[in-house]
Each structure stands twice: as structure tokens, then as C-alpha cells.
Amino acid sequence: MDATLPGAWRALTLATLAFAANFSVWIIYAVLGIDIQAQLELSGTQLGLLLATPIVSGALLRIPVGILSEYWSARTLWIWQMVITIPALLLLPLIDSYAGFLWVGLWIGLSGISFTLGIRYVTDWFSRQQQGLALGIFGAGNAGAAISFILLPLLVMRLDWQWTGPFYAIGLLLMLLVFMALAPKVPSYVPKFQPAWRDQLRPLKDLRVWRFSLYYYFVFGSFLALILWLPSYYMSAYHLTFQQAMGFTLFFVTTSSMVRALGGWLADRYGGQLVNWSVFWICLVCLFFLSYPPTTMTIHGLERDVVLSVEINVWLFTGLIFVIGIAQGLGRASVYKVIHNHYPQQMGSVGGIVAALGGLGGCTLPVLFGVAQDLLGISSGAFMVLYAVLAVCMTVMFFAMRAERYRKELAAAQAHDFYQEQ
């Protein structure tokens, strides 16, 4: 589209608010998981599975919902998503078993598809030149996680923690009513690209889509995984109180979410690929230090032993996490700018596929964090996992950039030969 439509900024504002509300619901187990773990005496692996349940359903359903949004109004589908999610929150006070929390978590995960619906809704309103900025602002709705990290600890102090579910149900209902009343419908004169559903799945054969999904697996999946994992990590590794752990995690979530709009602007100006490559290098350096476990080394000298202790204190740890969060926020916006450059007519289906595979990082990585912690017996095992994932991303991107540069050089050489023959 060549021009931004009237009412675009109102649509973007309502979409961002609705996404923030749904995102706060999607990661509700990140806060409640600590109480559930204490009540049910869960292991690290069991906690990882619990945290993953809302994420897995929200991630996997993004693919069919993304395809549906190419044929039906994303606004209408979004309204129904919120209607269906509310009863799951109302059921939370009635659950008292591990299996019950897993099943309700899968239901709550429906809130995660709001991202795909929002992407499809927002892209119809803005010109190609403003897509990066618009999607970046919309993605800042990740800051909805801050709602949970601020409200839930206060609610847990005043209410039994199970009753936070109905409280959130009321909040989501209010957001639903506001969205229905104020979010504008996409004008009927906007052309809608509606290929056959088989064509919607055709991008799955494109290696480029899988590369974008891998990048998003790190910049979004690991961000989501850290939201779920950091509270318990702060409490176990640094012996912080519940309120302190929530405060540090809130700092990570808020800063990482708010810079997403800046990431979209940078991608519009300098190109998404350059932003992504820079983001990966920054994260690689930070994760190298975070992966190093607390170590005590004894050097046997001639006259006495010298004991060296290497350990990252809570402030240095928080600083490194802050830098990673900023980088991930920039990367999340730039990935979707690159997607729009290549698939402007398939943001529902391709965007849904990338969001789904990226979102799977939010459910698989907490499980891997728990397994690494249980097997290695060290708290930094989670960051070793992230370091390995990032190494794969950077390797893939490096060879992709080499192949793209080779294709350009080959095309330039062929064009030169052609003009010489003329």
C-alpha cells in the first residue's frame, strides 16, 4: 500500500492496548508459577513444563489463525479470541492439581494468538514506508507483561493467588468492550489478497521463511522464556525476595518492550538485516559472560595458595540482561520489517508461521532451561542453552548473507557481460 489510511493511528493505538492486555494474560504463569511450584513441590523440569503450556498453544495456533485472518476480518477474529479466553481465567481458583494447571494453561494460551491477529490488522492501515515503525509500536505491547509483574504481586499479597484469574478476566472483558467500541474496521475499499489456502502454506517450502523463524525463535522466543524463567532464577541464584525478583524482571520486560518501536524505525532506515546482525553480536558477548558458572580456583604457589573466585553479582547480571533485552527488542521489530519486505501480501500467513515458530522458543526453552539446570546442577545452564541457540542463528545468517552477496555479484557480472555483447 502506498498511503497510510485515515484512522490508522487510532487503529494502531487500540491494537497495541489489546495486545498488551492479552500478553499480560499469556504470561500469567510467569508470576503464578512460583506459588504453584511451592504448593505442588515441582522440580525444575516440571516448572519448565508448567510455564510452557500457555506458550505452546498460543504459538501453534498462530499458524491456522494467521491463515484464517487472510479470509476473515482480523478484528472480528480478535474479538472472538478474547471472548473464548475469559472463561479459562475464571476457572483458575478451582484448579488444585498439576494436570489441571497444565490443561488450563493450554486454554489461557489462546491469548497468545493476539499477536498474529494484531499484525494482520495493523498492516492494512499503513504504507510500506511506515510498516517497520507501525509494527514496532504495535510490538511494544509486549510491555503488557509489566502489568502482570506489577499487579500480580500486589494481588497475591491481598488475595489468595488463585483469585488473580477472575481479576484478570474482568480486565480482559473491559479491554474487549473498549476494542469492540473504538477499534475501527478496515475500510472496504482496501484490497484484500485472498489466495487459495494451499498457496498460504506454500511459504513453508521457502527456506527463507525458516531462517526468519529461527531468528525470531531467538529474539522473541528467548525473550519470552526469560520472562518466565527470570523470577525463579533471581530467587534461587541470588536469594532475592519475591518482590525483588519481580522488580528486576519488570525492568527487563519494560525496557525490552519499549525499544521495539525504535527497532522498527532503525529497520526502516538502515535495513532489517543489518539490525539483526548487530543484535546477534551484542547478545553473543553478553551470553558468553552469563554462561560462565560461579567458579573458585586454587593456585598452589611456592609459599601459599592463591584462591580466585569468579562470580557475576546481581547488579552485573542485571546489567547484562538489560543489554540483551534492549537488543532483543530491536531485533523483534527488524525481523518483521524484513518479512514485510519479502511477503507484503502474506503478512497473516507468513507472519503467523514465523510468530508460531518463534513463539515455540517460549515453551521449549523453559523446558530446556529446567533440564539443563537439573542435569548440570548449575544455575547458568539456561544461558548456555541460549548461547548455543544464538550460535546456530548467527551461523545460518552468515552463510545466508554470503549466498545473497554471491547472487548479487553474479547478477552484476551477467549484466555487465550482456551490455558488452550489445
Side-chain angles (χ1 to χ4, degrees), residues 36 88 110 168 310 326:
I36 297 172
L110 289 172
Y168 264 53
V310 180
I326 294 293

Side-chain angles (χ1 to χ4, degrees), residues 402-416:
R402 279 190 66 178
E404 183 178 345
R405 187 161 51 245
Y406 174 76
R407 286 194 297 269
K408 289 181 178 178
E409 290 173 353
L410 181 61
Q414 289 174 341
H416 179 267

